[in-house]
Amino acid sequence: MADAKLKPKSVDGTEPHGAGNSPQETASTVEVMPPPDAIEPDPELTPEEAEQARKRYLLKRFWLSARRYWGRGGDKFAWPFSIGLLAMICMNVGFQYGINLWNRGIFDAIERHDAGTVYFLSAVFVPLVLGTVAIVTIQVAVRMMIQRRWRSWLTTAVIARWLANGRYYQLNLIGGDHKNPEARISEDLRIATEAPVDFVAGVISAFLAASTFIVVLWTIGGALTLPIAGSTITIPGFLVITAVLYAAITSTSMAVIGRYFVHVSEAKNQAEAEFRYTLTHVRENGESIALLGGEEEERNDLDKTFANVLRQWALLARQHMRTTLVSHGSMLIAPVVPVLLCAPKFLEGSMTLGQVMQAASAFAIVQGAFGWLVDNYPRLADWNACARRIASLMMSLDGLERAEQSDSLGRIKHGETEGEAMLSLNDLSVSLDDGTAVVTETRVEIEPGERVLVSGESGSGKSTLVRAISGLWPWGSGSVNFHADRQLFMLPQRSYIPSGTLRRAVAYPGAADSWPLDEIKSALDKVGLDYLNDKIEEDAPWDQTLSGGEKQRLAFARLLLHQPDIVVLDEATAALDEKSQDKMMQMVIDELPEVTILSVAHRAELEVFHSRKITLERREGGAKLVSDIDLIKRTRKRNLLSRVLEKRRSPPKGNTTANEGGTVPE
């Protein structure tokens, strides 16, 4: 559609009054590239191989979006902060080397009983410590700044894609691994952006430390000569070789013991997300559960879901126990190994006490650098699982975005009407994402001020047709056209109540201060909610407090405030009794006499408030429009389809019944 106001993205309502920058605007330069092409699995792969290929692609898909933070359209501070972090890491390694030299000097001075040097080095130690602490503190601040800004950038990008074109709703209509998107965006995306920064910083720091202190070990340790069977064997750089072998053994042990860590961590995260979703579902549907007495059934479901969480935690605990055996054992043994290796040289007098302590310190640093995988393997596995979960959501969004750009399934087009028509459906067919037809070949033209009732038995596709008109349902063919510069307002059966004050709930999707308090109170008076005027500024859980009927009345109050040109009512009075329903409909007609109304309802009593009725009938191959009749006499010429339908369905003379100016087939 030409006018964004005609295609609302909220659950019900129009574009917010005075709305600020939307996520789409904030991240307008984030996802500028088209979605990647769909990758079809190789049919020759076994199921296990196909699953491994899928997991590898998920990581690739995550980085396709995540790395753009450092590219064009990314954060302008990304590279400055990254270079600053690298500088801090280099300076920190420099201070580590300084402390390593200090260790040699202080212990050599103690061995020589050189009091002057001991006092001097003691004074030097203070600035060394202060400098190290300052550098590490700044390094942490820069690192966390990158993490925060990267998470903000990528979260904004994902939310923008999630909300665009109603995709947050369409995800419920398609298959795929995208359950609990809110948990993926909040928790999984946080871990997916925090951990890589820590990993990269850790790897760079480990590489620089290992490179620096391997030289120290090689220089200090020199060659080790061992007498064996009457001969001698000389091992050059024995401390370096020992450090490398020790790290290889511990890292290999960790890789073997923790080879299932990624899978177990991923399963644990999925179980936690499902448990949170179940709890949220109970909270959101608390009233219905309480009225039906379904606590025991919900408890069983929660127990079952939580049992899965505990089962996955038990498996993860076993993995942690195994990896702890390696990591903790390595931590205890590593400081002792260099002392034992250097002891022969110290005892024979070829190595000073300071050199032994310097070697021990350097060995510990090198071992820590080489053992980075040992210490971070559990977290690396957790990141792997989280990155795949957020990538799965990205892939589902990719599919929806490709469908929007492709005609393979068919897309419903949106445009502007010609002439005075407020709304027209031109050969509109609505289908599922697999191509199955729901509604076929619907052609309707609605004139300004008309009040059209859409009827039909349950399952005939009435609500699906409404979603297609609003733009939430994309699949099908034909077009939905609105009059240019006209505002559309949706009133669904289940009215959305946002958190906050009652005033915000009435004004939604506009801002709470978009209308004076008197206007909001007047709107509540007209819909019979005047008893809530004293609580209009009260911040309460109104979604849980208000009844279904009160929520629908509140939705009509919104209608009075926004005063749109076109209103679509989808069972918007279903929770009201007949008398209240009549009052609401008559109030709309009196207060908004020029508004164009399209209603979907089952109640025959609503016919009196409409000027026209169209009927959908469920048939094999999709529901079809079978009648289009006037409930009151038209002042304008009927559209071509109506005349064709009437001609086809008109019974022989004398076999018709009058219905307020229209003819209804028997």
Side-chain angles (χ1 to χ4, degrees):
M1 297 176 196
D3 192 337
K5 293 185 292 184
L6 298 178
K7 194 173 182 181
K9 294 294 184 282
S10 56
V11 176
D12 64 300
T14 55
E15 289 290 313
H17 288 251
N21 291 336
S22 66
Q24 292 92 329
E25 293 169 339
T26 304
S28 59
T29 58
V30 173
E31 291 289 343
V32 294
M33 295 178 64
D37 294 334
I39 303 297
E40 296 296 332
D42 190 339
E44 296 182 359
L45 295 177
T46 64
E48 293 77 12
E49 292 172 339
E51 179 63 16
Q52 291 300 319
R54 185 188 73 87
K55 290 182 177 181
R56 288 193 297 271
Y57 177 76
L58 286 175
L59 293 181
K60 178 181 178 181
R61 177 62 191 91
F62 171 76
W63 285 115
L64 282 175
S65 290
R67 70 189 183 191
R68 295 179 196 169
Y69 175 71
W70 285 272
R72 291 184 59 187
D75 187 354
K76 63 181 180 181
F77 294 107
W79 279 109
F81 278 127
S82 300
I83 294 172
L85 179 61
L86 178 61
M88 293 299 106
I89 292 173
C90 293
M91 293 176 67
N92 185 36
V93 172
F95 273 95
Q96 283 183 309
Y97 180 67
I99 292 176
N100 181 259
L101 292 177
W102 181 90
N103 273 324
R104 175 176 177 171
I106 192 74
F107 281 102
D108 280 343
I110 291 173
E111 185 181 25
R112 296 193 308 267
H113 302 285
D114 186 350
T117 302
V118 170
Y119 294 145
F120 172 75
L121 291 176
S122 298
V124 170
F125 184 70
V126 175
L128 277 176
V129 171
L130 292 178
T132 302
V133 170
I135 292 298
V136 171
T137 302
I138 296 173
Q139 179 180 328
V140 170
V142 175
R143 174 174 54 81
M144 296 188 71
M145 179 68 73
I146 295 174
Q147 291 170 327
R148 182 180 68 83
R149 295 181 70 91
W150 190 18
R151 179 191 178 188
S152 173
W153 182 90
L154 191 55
T155 299
T156 301
V158 174
I159 289 178
R161 297 186 67 209
W162 183 51
L163 293 179
N165 300 328
R167 294 175 195 149
Y168 60 94
Y169 172 77
Q170 295 165 11
L171 285 175
N172 300 321
L173 310 176
I174 64 173
D177 182 17
H178 50 254
K179 291 192 298 183
N180 308 323
E182 63 281 357
R184 296 172 191 252
I185 294 174
S186 61
E187 184 65 15
D188 292 321
L189 199 148
R190 177 187 66 81
I191 297 174
T193 51
E194 284 183 0
V197 178
D198 291 337
F199 294 157
V200 171
V203 168
I204 293 175
S205 180
F207 174 77
L208 292 177
S211 301
T212 301
F213 289 98
I214 280 177
V215 176
V216 173
L217 287 178
W218 191 280
T219 303
I220 295 175
L224 178 64
T225 301
L226 298 175
I228 298 178
S231 61
T232 59
I233 296 178
T234 301
I235 304 175
F238 72 100
L239 288 177
V240 174
I241 294 174
T242 303
V244 172
L245 289 175
Y246 187 86
I249 293 171
T250 54
S251 297
T252 302
S253 300
M254 178 63 74
V256 172
I257 291 174
R259 62 187 180 277
Y260 299 117
F261 220 123
V262 173
H263 174 73
V264 173
S265 182
E266 189 171 10
K268 185 269 296 182
N269 289 345
Q270 179 64 32
E272 292 280 13
E274 291 177 358
F275 183 54
R276 285 194 300 269
Y277 174 79
T278 306
L279 291 171
T280 302
H281 184 72
V282 172
R283 177 179 60 80
E284 291 178 345
N285 297 276
E287 182 179 3
S288 299
I289 294 171
L291 291 174
L292 293 172
E295 291 85 357
E296 188 64 29
E297 181 62 24
E298 294 298 331
R299 176 61 181 270
N300 292 336
D301 190 32
L302 286 170
D303 288 345
K304 180 181 177 181
T305 309
F306 187 58
N308 186 38
V309 172
L310 295 179
R311 185 163 51 252
Q312 297 303 329
W313 263 107
L315 294 174
L316 187 64
R318 294 173 192 171
Q319 291 294 325
H320 274 290
M321 290 169 60
R322 294 168 183 168
T323 54
T324 300
L325 286 174
V326 178
S327 61
H328 194 68
S330 173
M331 181 184 68
L332 294 175
I333 297 173
V336 179
V337 171
V339 174
L340 295 178
L341 291 175
C342 293
K345 285 198 167 189
F346 174 75
L347 294 175
E348 71 181 17
S350 61
M351 183 177 285
T352 66
L353 179 61
Q355 289 176 319
V356 173
M357 300 311 296
Q358 185 184 14
S361 174
F363 187 92
I365 293 174
V366 171
Q367 178 54 36
F370 281 142
W372 181 89
L373 177 64
V374 175
D375 298 330
N376 290 274
Y377 193 85
R379 194 177 177 198
L380 181 62
D382 196 32
W383 169 82
N384 204 316
C386 291
R388 287 174 181 171
R389 279 176 52 79
I390 192 64
S392 295
L393 175 60
M394 290 177 176
M395 285 183 64
S396 295
L397 294 174
D398 292 343
L400 290 173
E401 194 170 345
R402 280 193 296 267
E404 293 167 8
Q405 301 169 2
S406 171
D407 295 328
S408 58
L409 283 178
R411 303 285 297 184
I412 298 172
K413 298 178 182 178
H414 296 267
E416 297 180 1
T417 58
E418 297 179 0
E420 296 298 322
M422 292 293 285
L423 169 64
S424 67
L425 311 180
N426 298 331
D427 297 324
L428 177 65
S429 294
V430 184
S431 61
L432 302 179
D433 64 324
D434 60 2
T436 304
V438 179
V439 180
T440 61
E441 299 177 356
T442 303
R443 183 176 179 85
V444 175
E445 188 172 287
I446 300 176
E447 300 167 359
E450 275 197 295
R451 300 189 296 275
V452 180
L453 177 65
V454 181
S455 64
E457 62 181 349
S458 296
S460 59
K462 301 186 302 299
S463 294
T464 304
L465 181 62
V466 168
R467 296 185 185 106
I469 292 172
S470 68
L472 290 178
W473 195 287
W475 303 292
S477 60
S479 63
V480 177
N481 303 310
F482 288 92
H483 194 291
D485 302 322
R486 293 297 188 268
Q487 189 181 48
L488 171 69
F489 202 93
M490 303 288 298
L491 264 68
Q493 180 176 354
R494 184 179 178 183
S495 182
Y496 173 66
I497 307 297
S499 60
T501 64
L502 182 63
R503 180 174 183 174
R504 180 182 181 230
V506 180
Y508 190 86
D513 57 356
S514 295
W515 291 272
L517 192 60
D518 291 342
E519 285 189 35
I520 295 179
K521 289 183 177 181
S522 175
L524 290 176
D525 289 342
K526 291 175 181 177
V527 298
L529 295 178
D530 52 297
Y531 54 88
L532 295 175
N533 280 338
D534 294 337
K535 301 179 180 180
I536 201 167
E537 297 289 0
E538 184 177 326
D539 192 336
W542 294 109
D543 185 54
Q544 304 296 325
T545 304
L546 299 177
S547 67
E550 288 174 322
K551 292 177 183 177
Q552 289 194 335
R553 287 175 180 268
L554 187 144
F556 278 96
R558 293 174 182 167
L559 184 62
L560 297 179
L561 292 178
H562 287 274
Q563 297 189 357
D565 303 290
I566 310 171
V567 179
V568 178
L569 309 177
D570 185 9
E571 299 285 0
T573 60
L576 299 173
D577 59 83
E578 186 177 338
K579 185 177 180 180
S580 299
Q581 171 186 268
D582 293 348
K583 287 183 178 180
M584 289 299 102
M585 295 302 299
Q586 190 60 51
M587 181 270 300
V588 172
I589 294 172
D590 294 340
E591 295 291 330
L592 304 171
E594 301 296 327
V595 72
T596 302
I597 298 177
L598 179 65
S599 296
V600 171
H602 288 93
R603 293 179 178 176
E605 298 85 358
L606 285 170
E607 289 186 7
V608 70
F609 300 103
H610 295 80
S611 59
R612 184 175 164 195
K613 177 181 177 181
I614 61 178
T615 304
L616 289 174
E617 183 177 286
R618 184 170 55 187
R619 295 183 176 181
E620 186 176 351
K624 290 191 176 184
L625 174 63
V626 296
S627 70
D628 185 350
I629 62 173
D630 293 339
L631 299 175
I632 62 174
K633 191 172 246 183
R634 280 177 172 242
T635 58
R636 296 176 182 267
K637 192 174 180 180
R638 179 177 296 192
N639 64 59
L640 177 61
L641 176 69
S642 299
R643 286 183 276 138
V644 171
L645 284 170
E646 182 180 344
K647 184 176 180 180
R648 284 183 179 178
R649 296 187 167 270
S650 291
K653 290 185 178 180
N655 196 24
T656 60
T657 56
N659 184 5
E660 299 189 37
T663 52
V664 182
E666 285 189 341

